[in-house]
Amino acid sequence: MSLLTFNTAISSYRHHSVQRSRKNFAAPTFNPSSSCPCSITAFPASLFCNSRTRPFSRLSVVSQTANLVSDTDSAARVGQDRLLKVPTSNIRNFSIIAHIDHGKSTLADKLLQLTGTVEKREMKDQFLDNMDLERERGITIKLQAARMRYMFQNEPYCLNLIDTPGHVDFSYEVSRSLAACEGALLVVDASQGVEAQTLANVYLALENNLEIIPVLNKIDLPGAEPDRVIKEIEEVIGLDCSNAILCSAKEGIGITDILDAIVQRTPPPSNTAERPLRALIFDSYYDPYRGVIVYFRVIDGTIKKGDRVYFMASGKDYYADEVGVLSPNQLQVEELYAGEVGYLSASIRSVADARVGDTITHFSRKAEKSLPGYEEATPMVFCGLFPVDADQFAELRDALEKLQLNDAALKFEPETSSAMGFGFRCGFLGLLHMEIVQERLEREYNLSLITTAPSVVYRVNCVNDETVECSNPSLLPEPGKRRSIEEPFVKIEMLTPKDYIGPLMELAQDRRGEFKEMKYITENRASIIYELPLAEMVGDFFDQLKSRSKGYASMEYSLVGYKESELIRLDVQINGDPVEPLATIVHKDKAYAIGRALTQKLKELIPRQMFKVPIQACIGSKVIASESLSAIRKDVLAKCYGGDITRKKKLLRKQAEGKKRMKAIGKVDVPQEAFMAVLKLEREVL
C-alpha cells in the first residue's frame, strides 16, 4: 500500500471524526455490515493511537486499511443488493412532505446517497427531479418513487420512498403518494417554521392514518431556531416533538438518525400475500416504445412477470411483459408481493385502459372488491388551449391524453372559437399548474400553443329555473335569460409575521375578501383567514402576497362553495369585431377600471396596421372604454417636389380611399401576449 493512499485514509478519518464530534456522536466504531458508503471512515481506534502511548507497525496499518477497503466494496454491494427480497415485516413505505423550499429534494438526495442507491459518480442535485422544468424552477412537480436498502442492527430493510411536490397546486400528487405509504417525514425549515402548505400536507397525512416523523432541516443556518420551531409544531399541529430529528440535508447531519427512525417508527405493511392480487395505481406515464407504464403499490397478493392482469375500472386485461422496482431507475424483478412498490409494462397502447386510481388484479383470480382509489380532482382554473397551426389539432389531443395519464388532475374538453379555431378547454388546479402544463406540452410534444386568459366556473341561474355552469365567458347567457350569477369562493389562510398583517389584510380587502378570523400562532406569527372569490386569486395574488410580505408569508386555500355576486360580461372589440377569447366576467364595480386598463394594455401589445384600429371594451352594446391604434402611413408626397397643390391632394385622397378599403377587409392578428393581458391588469386596476 502506498504512503499516499494511507495519508488519504488518515485525512478522511479526521474529516469524518470532526463531523461526528459536531453532532455530539460517540467515537466511531467499525461496523462491517453498515450500509453507509462512508462507513470506511469509521476506523478502529487502535489504528490511530498516539505513537507516544502505543506505537503501531506499518504492516498492521496496511492490513487494517486493506480490511477497510474491502468494507467499502461491501457497503456498495449493500446498496446494489436492493433487489434481494426481505420479509414483509422489514418493508417500510414512506413519503416526504414539506412546504415548498424547505429542503425536501436535498434530503431525498442524501437518503439515496447514504444508502448506496445512487453511486457517487451518478449523483447530482435534485436527483429525483428529472424534468428540466423542475430543475429550472427549483420545485418538485411530479411524484417519484425510489427503493433503497438499509442495514439496521445487522438486518436488511427495504425502504420505499415516494417523493412528493410541495406547492399547493400539486396537492393532488401528494394525496396519491400518501395513499401508498404507512409513514411520512414531516420536514420543517428550522429557520422559517411551520408554513401554510406544511399544515395542509400534515392534515392529508393524518387523514390517511400515517405515522408522522417530524424532522427539522437546515439547522446549520445562522438563523435556525430549533427550540422555537419545535414549540411551534407542537402548538399549531399538535404533534409530539420530543423525539424530533435535527438535521441538515445539505451538510449530511442527522441523516442516519432519520433512516433509523424510519425503520423503528414506521409500521410495516400487512402481510397479505396469500390473498387475491390487489394493486393500487398511483402514477403512470406513456412510453412511445413500451406503451403505458404504470406505477403501483401491491396491497394484497403477488404479481409475477408473465401474469395475465386485469384492470378493474376499465375492464381490460393484459399480460405483464415486465415487472420491476424503481430504484430510482427501473430494475426488472421476477415477482412483487404485498407491501412492495413497483412498475408494470404490459404493452398497453390505449391511455384510457390504465388510469391513476385503478386496481390491478389477476384475470384468473379476480379480487372481490376494488380499492377505493382517489377522489376526483376538482379543477379550479380554466383556460383555452389552441394550436397556432390548425393542422396540429390532432397532435394536441394526443398530447393532452398522454399528459393526462401522467397528470391525473388535468381535465380537458373540445372547444371551438371563431377567432382561434379548434382547440380545448382545459381545467387546472391552479395558475402554476396551468403554466407547467403549457410548458410541458410545448417542450415534450413540440407544439406551438396559444393560451387564453384563465377563468373560473360560474353558475348561472336562468329565469326558467335552470342552472348552467359556465367556464367560458363567451358562452354566458344573455342578460334577459339569466336571473343571477354565482361565483366560486375559497377559504384562504395566510401565515405571516406580525409586521405584515396590515398589508396582507389590505390586499385581501381589495380583492373583495370577507374577513373571518385572525389568531396568533406564536408571539411573532399570525394566521389570517379570509373568504374571497376564486376569480380574484387567478392572477397575481400570490405574487402580491410575497412582495407585500417580503417573501415571508405563505398561503393555503380550499374551495368552500358558490355565492351570488353582481357580475357582468366585459367584451372586447378590435376593429369592430368581437374577440371571444378576450371576453371576461368581472364584478360590476370594477368593470370600468378593468376595461380601461385592458384597452390600454392591448394598445401596447397589438402591432400597428396600415389602417386605424379601434380597440373597445363593451358591456352589451355600450362602449365603456376605447383606445385606437394609429395607422402606419407611407409618405406618398415624398416624390412631389414643387408643382401644383392639386397633385398632392390627389395622392392623399387616393391613399385615404385605399386605407378605407383596407379597413373594411383587413384583419388584425392578435399576439399571444394579448390573451394573457388580463392576468397583468390587477396592479394597474388596484
Side-chain angles (χ1 to χ4, degrees):
M1 176 180 174
S2 67
L3 185 61
L4 177 62
T5 307
F6 173 68
N7 290 336
T8 304
I10 296 292
S11 62
S12 175
Y13 166 74
R14 286 172 179 166
H15 169 74
H16 284 279
S17 63
V18 169
Q19 294 293 328
R20 286 175 174 264
S21 65
R22 287 177 183 172
K23 294 181 283 184
N24 298 322
F25 280 170
T29 55
F30 179 65
N31 183 6
S33 63
S34 172
S35 64
C36 173
C38 303
S39 58
I40 181 69
T41 61
F43 281 72
S46 60
L47 181 58
F48 301 99
C49 287
N50 192 310
S51 57
R52 295 179 182 178
T53 57
R54 184 182 173 186
F56 54 84
S57 67
R58 183 178 180 84
L59 181 61
S60 65
V61 170
V62 171
S63 61
Q64 292 273 12
T65 310
N67 292 335
L68 293 167
V69 170
S70 65
D71 184 57
T72 306
D73 299 333
S74 66
R77 282 197 299 272
V78 167
Q80 294 170 356
D81 289 346
R82 52 192 179 275
L83 295 184
L84 298 179
K85 297 296 181 183
V86 299
T88 306
S89 58
N90 286 13
I91 296 176
R92 301 289 185 270
N93 298 315
F94 72 100
S95 182
I96 303 178
I97 55 177
H99 186 80
I100 189 170
D101 200 31
H102 275 205
K104 175 179 53 58
S105 296
T106 309
L107 177 58
D109 290 347
K110 282 295 180 184
L111 294 177
L112 294 175
Q113 189 175 353
L114 195 64
T115 55
T117 306
V118 179
E119 296 184 20
K120 190 174 182 179
R121 65 174 181 271
E122 298 175 354
M123 197 64 201
K124 56 185 177 182
D125 291 340
Q126 292 176 268
F127 189 87
L128 291 178
D129 296 343
N130 50 21
M131 282 172 25
D132 292 338
L133 271 173
E134 292 177 314
R135 295 184 170 279
E136 289 172 14
R137 292 176 178 253
I139 59 175
T140 302
I141 296 170
K142 279 296 302 169
L143 63 87
Q144 297 290 342
R147 176 177 173 136
M148 301 176 284
R149 187 177 177 87
Y150 182 64
M151 298 294 293
F152 179 72
Q153 296 180 352
N154 295 329
E155 197 171 346
Y157 285 83
C158 173
L159 310 181
N160 289 313
L161 162 65
I162 303 179
D163 192 23
T164 63
H167 196 277
V168 62
D169 280 11
F170 304 107
S171 56
Y172 190 65
E173 296 272 331
V174 179
S175 66
R176 286 156 45 193
S177 297
L178 299 181
C181 300
E182 282 84 26
L185 295 178
L186 173 63
V187 179
V188 180
D189 191 319
S191 57
Q192 296 183 24
V194 175
E195 301 280 5
Q197 195 60 23
T198 309
L199 290 173
N201 289 337
V202 166
Y203 295 148
L204 280 175
L206 292 174
E207 287 175 9
N208 287 273
N209 297 319
L210 301 189
E211 177 67 30
I212 299 176
I213 304 171
V215 175
L216 268 63
N217 194 18
K218 303 185 183 181
I219 61 168
D220 58 315
L221 294 181
E225 300 176 279
D227 295 336
R228 175 186 66 82
V229 175
I230 285 176
K231 184 179 178 182
E232 199 171 287
I233 295 173
E234 290 180 338
E235 291 179 355
V236 177
I237 304 177
L239 287 177
D240 179 17
C241 291
S242 58
N243 52 0
I245 302 170
L246 306 183
C247 81
S248 170
K250 187 176 181 181
E251 298 296 331
I253 301 170
I255 307 299
T256 307
D257 296 340
I258 293 174
L259 289 168
D260 292 346
I262 292 169
V263 172
Q264 292 175 301
R265 293 158 63 177
T266 303
S270 303
N271 187 3
T272 55
E274 72 286 348
R275 296 182 185 176
L277 172 65
R278 288 199 307 171
L280 177 66
I281 301 176
F282 63 83
D283 197 15
S284 55
Y285 73 96
Y286 188 85
D287 187 289
Y289 301 103
R290 299 187 293 167
V292 178
I293 308 296
V294 298
Y295 294 172
F296 60 88
R297 153 80 192 272
V298 184
I299 305 297
D300 301 323
T302 60
I303 182 171
K304 298 179 182 178
K305 180 180 178 180
D307 284 352
R308 188 177 182 183
V309 294
Y310 178 77
F311 295 88
M312 299 185 75
S314 62
K316 304 292 184 179
D317 62 278
Y318 292 93
Y319 286 96
D321 300 331
E322 185 180 323
V323 173
V325 298
L326 302 153
S327 187
N329 300 320
Q330 295 179 359
L331 301 174
Q332 292 190 45
V333 297
E334 289 298 319
E335 181 183 14
L336 291 172
Y337 53 86
E340 292 194 289
V341 176
Y343 74 92
L344 167 70
S345 173
S347 302
I348 306 170
R349 290 297 166 188
S350 175
V351 296
D353 291 352
R355 292 290 188 188
V356 167
D358 200 351
T359 302
I360 305 174
T361 187
H362 282 131
F363 184 80
S364 57
R365 189 188 176 198
K366 294 186 178 70
E368 295 180 2
K369 188 171 66 172
S370 62
L371 294 165
Y374 307 103
E375 291 183 9
E376 200 70 22
T378 305
M380 308 278 274
V381 176
F382 286 82
C383 80
L385 286 179
F386 298 88
V388 173
D389 184 0
D391 295 337
Q392 287 190 323
F393 175 75
E395 296 176 27
L396 176 59
R397 182 180 58 222
D398 293 341
L400 283 169
E401 288 178 352
K402 292 172 183 176
L403 194 60
Q404 189 183 48
L405 190 70
N406 192 237
D407 184 359
L410 172 65
K411 308 292 179 187
F412 64 92
E413 59 183 18
E415 181 186 31
T416 306
S417 169
S418 58
M420 320 286 287
F422 293 99
F424 292 91
R425 192 77 181 166
C426 302
F428 310 93
L429 295 182
L431 209 61
L432 177 64
H433 188 205
M434 184 187 80
E435 291 178 18
I436 294 298
V437 168
Q438 182 190 353
E439 287 260 3
R440 292 186 67 185
L441 287 170
E442 291 179 344
R443 291 190 185 194
E444 298 176 19
Y445 300 97
N446 298 320
L447 296 171
S448 297
L449 301 174
I450 294 177
T451 309
T452 63
S455 64
V456 299
V457 180
Y458 296 92
R459 286 182 182 169
V460 184
N461 299 315
C462 301
V463 292
N464 58 0
D465 295 332
E466 288 186 3
T467 301
V468 180
E469 289 196 348
C470 178
S471 63
N472 191 342
S474 62
L475 300 178
L476 191 70
E478 295 299 322
K481 296 181 180 179
R482 60 179 188 251
R483 188 173 62 247
S484 62
I485 304 177
E486 297 178 356
E487 62 178 332
F489 271 66
V490 293
K491 177 184 176 183
I492 177 170
E493 181 178 10
M494 298 177 283
L495 295 184
T496 175
K498 64 179 182 180
D499 298 339
Y500 308 109
I501 291 175
L504 294 189
M505 292 183 73
E506 182 184 358
L507 172 65
Q509 295 285 358
D510 290 340
R511 302 302 174 92
R512 297 191 283 133
E514 182 183 339
F515 178 76
K516 289 297 179 184
E517 184 185 1
M518 185 180 78
K519 57 185 177 182
Y520 278 86
I521 298 173
T522 62
E523 186 180 344
N524 296 315
R525 285 169 64 83
S527 167
I528 312 171
I529 298 176
Y530 270 85
E531 283 188 7
L532 75 161
L534 177 60
E536 297 288 343
M537 281 189 56
V538 178
D540 65 340
F541 186 90
F542 185 72
D543 296 338
Q544 288 287 326
L545 177 94
K546 287 295 184 182
S547 63
R548 295 193 185 202
S549 65
K550 298 182 180 178
Y552 286 104
S554 59
M555 57 175 262
E556 163 66 12
Y557 62 89
S558 57
L559 190 67
V560 294
Y562 282 75
K563 293 184 180 180
E564 186 176 328
S565 301
E566 293 186 11
L567 302 172
I568 55 176
R569 188 175 78 187
L570 182 68
D571 293 313
V572 175
Q573 292 185 356
I574 298 177
N575 197 28
D577 297 326
V579 184
E580 290 181 3
L582 287 177
T584 57
I585 297 176
V586 298
H587 194 267
K588 186 178 179 180
D589 296 340
K590 288 189 174 183
Y592 173 76
I594 291 177
R596 189 81 187 150
L598 182 56
T599 53
Q600 291 175 354
K601 178 66 71 174
L602 291 175
K603 183 181 179 180
E604 298 173 8
L605 296 174
I606 296 176
R608 291 173 65 193
Q609 308 294 317
M610 296 298 292
F611 50 91
K612 185 178 179 181
V613 179
I615 304 170
Q616 300 168 320
C618 312
I619 300 174
S621 58
K622 180 183 178 182
V623 177
I624 63 169
S626 178
E627 295 285 343
S628 61
L629 282 173
S630 58
I632 300 174
R633 298 190 62 183
K634 178 183 178 183
D635 188 4
V636 294
L637 303 180
K639 59 184 178 181
C640 292
Y641 51 93
D644 190 12
I645 189 64
T646 57
R647 173 66 177 163
K648 295 180 180 179
K649 286 183 177 180
K650 181 181 177 181
L651 289 172
L652 290 171
R653 190 164 53 249
K654 186 178 179 181
Q655 183 188 43
E657 290 174 358
K659 290 193 177 294
K660 185 178 179 181
R661 185 169 60 252
M662 195 181 295
K663 183 177 181 179
I665 63 173
K667 289 187 177 181
V668 181
D669 290 329
V670 183
Q672 160 70 23
E673 293 81 9
F675 294 107
M676 301 303 289
V678 182
L679 280 177
K680 303 172 184 177
L681 296 181
E682 298 295 345
R683 65 191 66 177
E684 299 177 21
V685 174
L686 298 176

